[in-house]
Amino acid sequence: MKSKLSKSANTTISFEQALATDVPPRYVLRLYVAGMTPRSSRAITNAKAICETHLEGRYDLSVIDVYQEPVHAVNDQIVGLPVLVKELPKPVRRIVGDLADTDRALVALDLKPRR
Amino acid sequence: MKKTLAKPSFHALAKTPTGIQGLDELTGGGLPRGRPSLLCGGAGCGKTLLAMEFIVRGAQDFGEPGVFMTFEENPAELATNFASLGYDLPALVARKKVVLDFVHIDRSEIEETGEYDLEGLFIRLGYAIDSIGAKRVVLDTIEALFSSLSNTTILRAELRRLFRWLKEKGVTAIITGERGDSSLSRYGLEEYVADCVILLDHRVEGQVATRRLRIAKYRGSSHGTSEYPFLIDEDGVSILPITSMGLNHSVSIERVSSGVDSLDAMMGGKGFYRGSSVLLSGTAGAGKTSLSAHFADAATKRGERCLWFAFEESANQIIRNMRSIGIDLEPAVRSGALILQAERPTVCGLEMHLVTIHKLVKEFKPQVVIIDPVSNFAPLGTEAETKAMLTRIIDFFKMHHITALFTSLMGAETFMESSLVGVSSLMDTWLMLRDVENGAERNRLMHLLKSRGMAHSNQVREFLVTDHGVELRDVYTGPSGGLLTGSARAAVEAQEKAEALARQLGTAGKKRELAHKRQAMESQIAVLKATFEIEQAEAIRIMEQDDTSAAVLAVDRAHMSGLAQSSLAGGRRPPTPRKRGRAA
């Protein structure tokens, strides 16, 4: 019993070490907005700020105006706008809103542990 | 609606036909054109199906392309589900008649941070509408958004905006919603969609599930307000709003034979009116089916089509049994003039039967329909439901000028009798068959209880089922006043025949007697005449004799006087001549 416990503890430690030493993943992000509204501008600004602060040098952020390319709205299952789609790393996640709530956005992007 | 009629300068509400059987009649032409309508109902009510039929019929029958935006099933699932209804969705999509857009929102993928709107939905919908020039839109079920997005304030505002936007787009839309406990829809969608609200319901009563539809609201239009049963089958949705029909069907003066000459004779020799409803009620074994067979046989021999709903016997059994009374229905069945639709009445609910009847009648277009027996519907619903259903059937047949024969079993079930009394008032002709028992026999009697619009016999007839069909015979009233049927009638008939014979014989005898008497009289006359003639001849002879004697006397007298004169001289007296005459 004792040895088993220590074994599982060792595994956990090694996993955490691996996580720490691993190269941080590259982020592929798409920000969908609907026209250049103030809300769209806010979303773009907030997205860029988050990326620069937390993902410097390891992100691709593309901004798509759905009005210009409505077919994207269908293909990428867009409902609420603006929306930041985290394509990579998996899992895919959609962050709906103008990203004003940075904490929630960071959690959704797996850049901050869930409370 | 009434206001619109009163002021013709106003435009009546434009409507978009749904193409769904019955729904257009119910709504007076369809859903409000260019407006959203709300379709609410619990799970499994047929919301998606009704909505999809609206889109498909629009695309196929009305040249109105449509967008079906689904929040629950993906296009592949929809295509599979609707393939069973004969809707080829992928083909319609390929021909740019229909757009299927699956809005998938995975709760686990979504995070809400800050302000947002549902513009994405608007863009997708707008894109879909514009890509095919859609006139119809279905959102099924937009309430799914409520379970995916937590900010209901934003959602409600956006839905309000969406419905307004749909109106601006000028598309006729159906928005489906789950039925709520206290409100029409779970999330109160009726607040936003106020023009037309249709409720669907699926209830189980007496182990029979029935779907029902009710129009809760239709702004600016008259509409049927009752709950109407509807059915989902291989042809989609059928709703039966028949009770809303007025009594304004045209009538025929044409008459159709009942197939039994003696019965026709009871109705002025011509039979039933075409398009009338005939109720044939009777006890078990009274001959209802036999009479129906006659009617069917006569119809097919006239070259008409006959649809026979048999709820007690199989088609083959009817054919076999009717052969025993000399009616062969098989040729008519083979030629397609007669359809024997045999079903157990308990196989489905009343409404399903109604729809089956409707569908078959619409496909087959019969001139004659037989429902044998209609009383088997009684256990399928409450008395009121059964009556409502029969009313609708009768109205339906009348509208289509179908002469309908309903048989009805009467007897122990007093309930059915009472409900039949209600139905019988809808019937134009009511034939009553019953059994009477006398002299250790049961015999059948028939009489015409009523027959609207024609002179008809008030006589009770004996109803005989022979090997060459049904016959009606006069019923004898016995010496005590009771009815005589069967062998008792035969006995009386024989007796009467004998009496008639006896009378006949008696008359002949009298005639002969009279002839004899006449002969006797004439011979007497001849005798009298002969006697008279003899006497007359005698009299004449005597009279002649007298004359001669007188003359002779005179001569004698003269002679005698001559003698006397000579005797005076001679002194001798001659004898008196008178004596001689007398002696002669």
Side-chain angles (χ1 to χ4, degrees), chain A residues 33-34 39 42 66-67 70-71 73-82 92-102 104-105 107-108 114, chain B residues 71 100-125 127-128 145 149-150 158 161:
Chain A
V33 294
R39 189 184 289 151
R42 273 203 307 280
V66 189
Y67 284 141
V71 70
V74 180
N75 295 340
D76 225 341
Q77 285 294 347
I78 304 303
V79 178
L81 281 174
V92 175
R93 198 153 279 151
R94 289 149 209 276
I95 305 157
V96 183
D98 61 7
L99 305 167
D101 189 342
T102 315
R104 290 190 71 157
V107 170
R114 262 169 216 278
Chain B
F71 294 80
L100 299 175
D101 189 1
F102 175 44
V103 178
H104 171 74
I105 306 175
D106 190 339
R107 189 72 193 87
S108 64
E109 285 185 1
I110 293 249
E111 196 69 51
E112 290 162 69
T113 67
E115 276 182 49
Y116 64 95
D117 56 31
L118 297 184
E119 191 62 24
L121 203 63
F122 286 69
I123 293 168
R124 288 169 76 165
L125 204 46
Y127 174 64
L145 290 176
L149 300 169
S150 54
E158 285 297 281
R161 189 164 71 94

Side-chain angles (χ1 to χ4, degrees), chain B residues 141-160:
Chain B
T141 299
I142 202 160
E143 284 179 326
L145 290 176
F146 282 91
S147 57
S148 312
L149 300 169
S150 54
N151 193 334
T152 51
T153 320
I154 289 179
L155 261 180
R156 289 187 180 279
E158 285 297 281
L159 286 182
R160 195 180 293 275

Side-chain angles (χ1 to χ4, degrees), chain B residues 263-481:
Chain B
L263 177 58
D264 290 346
M266 288 174 79
M267 293 176 286
K270 293 173 196 156
F272 312 119
Y273 278 117
R274 183 175 292 289
S276 66
S277 308
V278 181
L279 178 63
L280 177 61
S281 58
T283 47
K288 299 184 292 293
T289 305
S290 306
L291 206 57
S292 305
H294 268 291
F295 190 46
D297 188 46
T300 53
K301 282 184 177 147
R302 283 194 301 270
E304 294 175 3
R305 283 181 302 278
C306 175
L307 184 54
W308 182 330
F309 292 95
F311 293 120
E312 275 179 347
E313 295 173 277
S314 74
N316 288 333
Q317 197 182 336
I318 290 177
I319 290 172
R320 182 200 69 192
N321 293 355
M322 291 307 114
R323 221 171 250 152
S324 74
I325 61 162
I327 303 170
D328 193 1
L329 296 171
E330 200 172 0
V333 171
R334 284 220 178 134
S335 71
L338 172 66
I339 290 184
L340 277 166
Q341 178 77 15
E343 263 178 350
R344 280 271 167 229
T346 44
V347 70
C348 54
L350 278 178
E351 283 72 25
M352 184 84 174
H353 280 296
L354 195 52
V355 175
T356 314
I357 291 169
H358 260 248
K359 285 181 58 146
L360 268 169
V361 165
K362 287 210 164 155
E363 280 165 26
F364 186 50
K365 297 185 177 22
Q367 285 89 351
V368 166
V369 169
I370 294 164
I371 296 184
D372 179 36
V374 78
S375 45
N376 275 15
F377 287 133
L380 299 182
T382 64
E383 189 177 335
E385 282 170 344
T386 313
K387 192 183 167 187
M389 182 243 184
L390 291 178
T391 311
R392 274 148 54 196
I393 291 185
I394 291 165
D395 281 353
F396 173 69
F397 289 155
K398 288 203 162 176
M399 293 218 356
H400 289 82
H401 299 283
I402 292 166
T403 317
L405 179 70
F406 301 86
T407 71
S408 167
L409 181 69
M410 303 187 76
E413 301 146 282
T414 44
F415 148 67
M416 198 54 213
E417 282 185 41
S418 67
S419 92
L420 267 176
V421 171
V423 173
S424 69
S425 64
L426 300 159
M427 298 289 182
D428 299 305
T429 302
W430 188 357
L431 291 166
M432 185 87 97
L433 287 171
R434 62 192 159 103
D435 276 351
V436 288
E437 195 180 314
N438 62 349
E441 286 181 354
R442 290 193 80 83
N443 293 299
R444 303 173 174 98
L445 289 181
M446 189 181 79
H447 66 279
L448 261 170
L449 212 69
K450 74 166 177 184
S451 194
R452 284 179 181 147
M454 62 175 82
H456 55 275
S457 167
N458 62 350
Q459 298 272 297
V460 176
R461 297 286 153 90
E462 185 174 353
F463 182 90
L464 290 179
V465 181
T466 68
D467 58 1
H468 51 272
V470 163
E471 274 179 18
L472 297 182
R473 293 274 181 82
D474 287 338
V475 161
Y476 283 80
T477 313
S480 56

